[in-house]
Amino acid sequence: MYLVNTQPDICYAANQLSQAMVKPTKLFWKAGKHVLCYLRGTSRYGLWYRQEDEVKLCGFTDAD
């Protein structure tokens, strides 16, 4: 959960890998290793959450 929240670029891959845990295959093992290699190379990137006194929630929607 921590990785998906701090690095949303792997959200889809983590979702697919977690669904494969019911009956994993070598293909999913290889994909999991690929995700881990990607995380090792991008460990300095991601979202950083800071604790502040005032919380501001901003959002945008395009509902036309």
Side-chain angles (χ1 to χ4, degrees):
M1 294 301 292
Y2 173 77
L3 286 175
V4 174
N5 287 328
T6 57
Q7 292 192 325
D9 53 339
I10 65 159
C11 188
Y12 180 76
N15 179 23
Q16 294 298 309
L17 289 172
S18 67
Q19 290 181 13
M21 296 314 304
V22 175
K23 190 175 180 184
T25 63
K26 288 184 180 183
L27 178 65
F28 289 106
W29 176 256
K30 186 175 180 180
K33 286 176 38 176
H34 184 76
V35 169
L36 291 175
C37 288
Y38 173 78
L39 289 173
R40 182 177 50 187
T42 59
S43 62
R44 295 181 183 241
Y45 304 118
L47 299 176
W48 298 97
Y49 297 102
R50 295 183 302 182
Q51 183 178 1
E52 296 182 7
D53 294 337
E54 184 178 335
V55 177
K56 295 180 184 177
L57 181 61
C58 299
F60 174 79
T61 184
D62 184 14
D64 55 344

